[in-house]
Amino acid sequence: MTTKPVLILGGTGKTGRRLAERLTARNIPVRIGSRAGTPPFDWLDKETWGRALEGVGAVYISYYPDIAVPGAAETVEAFARLAVERGVRRLALLSGRGEPEAQRAEEMLKASGADWSILRCAWFSQNFSEGFLIESILEGEVALPVGNVGEPFVDVDDIADVAATVLTEPGHIGQLYELTGPRLLSFADAVAEIGNAAGRDIRYRQISHAEFTEAVAAQNLPPEFAWLLDELFTKVLDGRNETLADGVQRALGRQPKDFSAYATETAASGVWSN
């Protein structure tokens, strides 16, 4: 295992980049699975999959643009079956809570014959600093169609720690780890904590679904991103995920990072200063 590289699909993304750092620190070789990688990997071009799999010992599967989008499950299934066919059985899937397409992908991975582990994650804390919400934070107002729904935001450093563990240590095959932070916060709570940590007045405003859809359309995003934002904010954030889970504790034997620690550390980096 340690002599063969780990293929990290989405290796330049939030979790993949951190996973690559952790594996490299353990002297485990990595192969970054991206269109700019060597060899290149593209989810939309199955001809690139085989070469990316050559000689690897395990794969971290992060689907782009998101495992919630229609068709993701079938694509993940096709990749998993090819990997097993090529002798790469150790697969870890980054999944999402309360997302029907994500849960379909999980079931297809289980049926592929792989030695699987699943990381089913809550909303990333880093969406406020490395994702689409950072612009709103910098502008001083976050406007979303979400009311007082609690979300157990999970830190991507915890996700990367779990991914590194399940891919390199025994005892994690066939395990589904549901990864959340240690408490529930509404988006208004989260924005308030960021404002306090950054020493800035950052407001949260609940808007209607129609206003949100209009705002997304004005950004001229690719259709799959526009669909994804609508799906996540108007359907998934309906209270279905308003529970804590113990995946971080089970996988790592420690508590997950609290959102306040994330906010304090990120504010200190200056990324929210304008």
Side-chain angles (χ1 to χ4, degrees):
M1 173 64 238
T2 54
T3 59
K4 292 185 176 182
V6 174
L7 172 62
I8 304 176
L9 303 184
T12 58
K14 296 183 192 72
T15 63
R17 174 167 49 83
R18 288 170 169 85
L19 173 58
E21 291 169 355
R22 283 155 174 77
L23 295 179
T24 301
R26 298 185 189 188
N27 295 315
I28 297 171
V30 300
R31 179 178 297 168
I32 301 301
S34 71
R35 282 176 287 192
T38 306
F41 176 89
D42 188 342
W43 278 114
L44 299 178
D45 183 3
K46 291 184 179 181
E47 298 300 315
T48 66
W49 298 2
R51 281 196 64 207
L53 283 165
E54 284 177 13
V56 304
V59 187
Y60 176 72
I61 303 173
S62 174
Y63 185 80
Y64 182 85
D66 192 278
I67 200 167
V69 303
E74 285 77 11
T75 307
V76 167
E77 177 187 36
F79 176 83
R81 291 193 181 278
L82 178 65
V84 171
E85 194 179 289
R86 297 292 179 91
V88 186
R89 300 182 60 86
R90 190 72 192 92
L91 307 179
L93 175 69
L94 179 70
S95 186
R97 296 179 97 206
E99 301 169 2
E101 190 74 2
Q103 268 76 84
R104 286 182 62 234
E106 293 175 6
E107 293 307 312
M108 290 177 174
L109 176 66
K110 291 177 185 178
S112 70
D115 294 333
W116 58 267
S117 300
I118 293 168
L119 283 55
R120 184 189 290 170
C121 300
W123 273 74
F124 298 174
S125 298
Q126 278 75 5
N127 284 335
F128 290 100
S129 52
E130 300 175 26
F132 68 101
L133 290 172
I134 188 170
E135 291 181 11
S136 299
I137 295 289
L138 291 171
E139 290 166 2
E141 181 179 86
V142 177
L144 297 170
V146 185
N148 193 33
V149 175
E151 174 67 27
F153 295 98
V154 64
D155 196 286
V156 294
D157 284 328
D158 284 344
I159 301 170
D161 283 345
V162 173
T165 297
V166 304
L167 286 167
T168 61
E169 298 177 14
H172 302 284
I173 291 172
Q175 293 295 314
L176 189 158
Y177 294 114
E178 193 154 346
L179 308 180
T180 73
R183 63 189 169 110
L184 297 169
L185 296 88
S186 68
F187 273 79
D189 294 334
V191 169
E193 292 207 11
I194 289 170
N196 289 337
R200 295 182 48 217
D201 178 23
I202 306 172
R203 299 171 301 282
Y204 179 79
R205 181 166 63 91
Q206 184 180 355
I207 58 176
S208 70
H209 291 169
E211 287 176 284
F212 180 68
T213 302
E214 189 177 321
V216 169
Q219 294 180 45
N220 295 317
L221 296 170
E224 62 271 23
F225 282 97
W227 180 92
L228 177 63
L229 290 175
D230 183 68
E231 173 79 3
L232 294 178
F233 279 109
T234 64
K235 295 184 182 150
V236 176
L237 282 165
D238 60 359
R240 70 183 70 176
N241 293 328
E242 221 166 3
T243 54
L244 303 179
D246 64 355
V248 173
Q249 295 92 321
R250 285 173 51 223
L252 302 178
R254 65 163 174 80
Q255 291 296 310
K257 186 191 288 188
D258 190 79
F259 190 87
S260 61
Y262 155 75
T264 300
E265 291 169 11
T266 306
S269 76
V271 72
W272 288 323
S273 303
N274 59 6

